Amino acid sequence: MTLLQAPSSPTLTFHQYCTSQPKAGLYVAEKSFLQSTLSGSCFLSSQRQVKALNFSYTCSRLSSFTAKAASNGACASSVSGQTAESEVLKALSQIIDPDFGTDIVSCGFVKDLLVDENLGEVSFQLELTTPACPIKDMFEQKANEVVAELPWVKKVNVTMSAQPAKPIYAGQLPAGLQTISNIIAVSSCKGGVGKSTVAVNLAYTLADMGARVGIFDADVYGPSLPTMVSPENRILEMNAEKRTIIPTEYMGVKLVSFGFAGQGRAIMRGPMVSGVINQLLTTTEWGELDYLVIDMPPGTGDIQLTLCQVVPLTAAVIVTTPQKLAFIDVAKGVRMFSKLKVPCVAVVENMCHFDADGKRYYPFGRGSGSQVVQQFGIPHLFDLPIQPALSASGDSGMPEVVADPQGEVSRTFQELGVCVVQQCAKIRQQVSTAVSYDRSFKAIKVKVPDSDEEFYLHPATVRRNDRSAQSVDEWSGEQKLQYSDIPDDIEPEEIRPLGNYAVEITWPDGFSQIAPYDQLQMMERLVEVPQLTPA
């Protein structure tokens, strides 16, 4: 692939640059322009480096390559001479995250690099964004190996740490939820399928992986959490000064349930229940959590909608059983999450089978979980056996993954935990980078989550297409915002994710525009990006 000549004018817009190079193709023009902006006339030749210029992330690192590369000195084109530091960074860049294909240097994981070439000593820190990263041991081992292979290195000191990712929507949340990185809903929309069992065991699996975890039991009519765990303090306390709730704890996991409110099960109407759940969830002093697991109540009514609207759910895990009846109810829940733009990342099929006399039996039939996966495109399926110990552990107050950490059930939950960590990291990256403004191109870049399509919009086009009451009369549909009211050279001041469905754009006149992804996809595009076909 022949790269284009770098633009001579640093103020040349992306659109002007692309249109001045019509024969080479927009994809090449975009790469060439980006490379020349970062490194002057020196272009990056490695395909991996070019890819890293667009997105770099692993586990839940959600920062851009350009900022991290600049701070770590990782951009190969800006290094003059093979210094000892650059040799170490080059060696570490061989370590590629298996899920996302980006090296750990580009991700900004390498911190506090110290090199003593005379003594042959190298020390650095690998800072991940979640202590529950399932491949942290692999990172540490590989980092030691690749650096030790340098001929002048005699000693390598690697320190592992974690700097949790900040919540994407922190400024838009109630105070109690602003320090929670990921919120996971465990739902079945049907009672009696083992949803609470999955929620509790998933939470303690994540905690065992090193994460800070909380559980919120959202079933006011029949709370399960007080039966499934055995905290020493079984009554929620109130902070009188702050008027907040202090969660109880069991084995390092924070717990909140209406069953710990000293009232047992509630007898009240739906609107009152929604208010109770809202109060319990948003006024609790959760502190800093990597994951908050919400044990959703059965159904798809007011309570479920309240939960989905009050908190920005990162993802959902669906629990079902092999029966056809369970699939019908689960399908309703998946559709609800789809409408609310909450991605379902895994299906757990409970009570699938049992082994006896050297054979495997399926007493309730087969295929419900597979049907959910196939029909709704959910990427991962996990099977849980019919096992008396799993049921008994739920009744005894000690989760099965705690009681038997090496058992078959625990291994399945470990796989589920790894899946949840990886999928949450991927979702956070997609949401945080879905819509951004590139000042070099003077265009708004859009890449909607779960879509391979990437396109550019003129800022003025986005501003003129606002459909809020300030721009369009709600009763008559008359356009109040006129084309001439918006200058052509307008630029957004800030773009923030708003849930999994939209972004909030702040403009210089102080106006905050809510721009749903669906609406952005319908706007007139600045340029059309063709698919790159291999030579």
Side-chain angles (χ1 to χ4, degrees), residues 171-426:
Q172 308 151 19
L173 297 178
L177 303 179
Q178 289 186 7
T179 53
I180 301 174
S181 297
N182 301 279
I183 303 178
I184 313 298
V186 178
S187 176
S188 66
C189 299
K190 179 177 177 60
V193 300
K195 168 182 50 61
S196 296
T197 298
V198 171
V200 170
N201 281 278
L202 171 60
Y204 279 91
T205 299
L206 293 171
D208 184 62
M209 294 169 66
R212 297 165 299 180
V213 183
I215 306 175
F216 179 69
D217 183 358
D219 194 345
V220 171
Y221 293 120
S224 304
L225 198 57
T227 304
M228 304 191 72
V229 295
S230 305
E232 185 175 339
N233 183 8
R234 300 185 65 84
I235 300 295
L236 294 173
E237 297 179 357
M238 190 84 174
N239 186 322
E241 294 182 2
K242 298 180 180 179
R243 300 186 66 83
T244 55
I245 298 169
I246 300 174
T248 187
E249 285 192 28
Y250 178 61
M251 302 189 73
V253 175
K254 296 183 178 181
L255 312 168
V256 171
S257 170
F258 189 76
F260 292 137
Q263 311 242 346
R265 288 162 169 75
I267 302 175
M268 60 181 75
R269 294 186 181 275
M272 295 177 63
V273 172
S274 298
V276 168
I277 288 177
N278 193 351
Q279 182 181 12
L280 285 173
L281 180 60
T282 60
T283 63
T284 294
E285 294 182 13
W286 291 107
E288 291 189 355
L289 294 181
D290 297 302
Y291 302 93
L292 175 63
V293 178
I294 298 183
D295 182 7
M296 300 281 285
T300 55
D302 288 345
I303 300 173
Q304 290 76 16
L305 292 175
T306 297
L307 282 168
C308 293
Q309 291 169 352
V310 168
V311 300
L313 296 175
T314 308
V317 173
I318 305 299
V319 183
T320 185
T321 52
Q323 298 96 325
K324 182 179 179 181
L325 185 59
F327 168 76
I328 294 173
D329 287 338
V330 165
K332 296 178 184 177
V334 175
R335 293 190 185 100
M336 176 190 73
F337 285 122
S338 177
K339 289 184 178 180
L340 296 170
K341 306 297 183 182
V342 177
C344 298
V345 297
V347 174
V348 179
E349 189 172 16
N350 194 20
M351 296 180 280
C352 286
H353 54 77
F354 67 90
D355 297 330
D357 302 326
K359 295 182 180 179
R360 176 157 290 185
Y361 297 90
Y362 297 86
F364 302 120
R366 305 176 67 176
S368 174
S370 300
Q371 194 173 355
V372 174
V373 169
Q374 294 171 3
Q375 183 165 330
F376 297 103
I378 300 174
H380 303 283
L381 173 65
F382 300 90
D383 296 338
L384 286 175
I386 300 173
Q387 193 173 96
L390 181 58
S391 176
S393 64
D395 296 337
S396 67
M398 180 176 289
E400 176 66 8
V401 296
V402 176
D404 184 14
Q406 303 300 323
E408 178 187 0
V409 170
S410 295
R411 288 194 296 271
T412 301
F413 275 107
Q414 287 166 6
E415 294 173 0
L416 175 61
V418 169
C419 170
V420 168
V421 169
Q422 293 175 332
Q423 292 299 311
C424 285
K426 183 177 180 180

Side-chain angles (χ1 to χ4, degrees), residues 427-470:
I427 291 167
R428 288 174 61 84
Q429 187 278 334
Q430 290 177 337
V431 170
S432 65
T433 59
V435 181
S436 60
Y437 181 65
D438 195 302
R439 300 191 182 279
S440 300
F441 303 160
K442 296 192 180 298
I444 293 177
K445 184 178 181 180
V446 182
K447 189 177 188 301
V448 177
D450 296 325
S451 172
D452 295 331
E453 187 179 32
E454 184 179 288
F455 56 91
Y456 292 84
L457 301 173
H458 195 287
T461 300
V462 177
R463 179 68 178 84
R464 288 165 179 154
N465 277 274
D466 175 57
R467 306 303 298 169
S468 68
Q470 291 183 260

Side-chain angles (χ1 to χ4, degrees), residues 18-83:
C18 292
T19 53
S20 69
Q21 307 284 351
K23 294 183 180 180
L26 182 57
Y27 186 92
V28 180
E30 177 188 351
K31 297 300 180 189
S32 177
F33 186 94
L34 180 57
Q35 292 163 359
S36 62
T37 302
L38 290 175
S39 56
S41 60
C42 176
F43 291 121
L44 300 178
S45 57
S46 165
Q47 182 179 2
R48 186 181 68 199
Q49 290 171 319
V50 171
K51 182 178 180 181
L53 286 169
N54 282 335
F55 298 107
S56 60
Y57 55 90
T58 191
C59 292
S60 55
R61 173 63 68 189
L62 306 173
S63 55
S64 68
F65 166 79
T66 53
K68 293 298 181 183
S71 63
N72 290 304
C75 184
S77 61
S78 64
V79 176
S80 58
Q82 290 296 320
T83 65

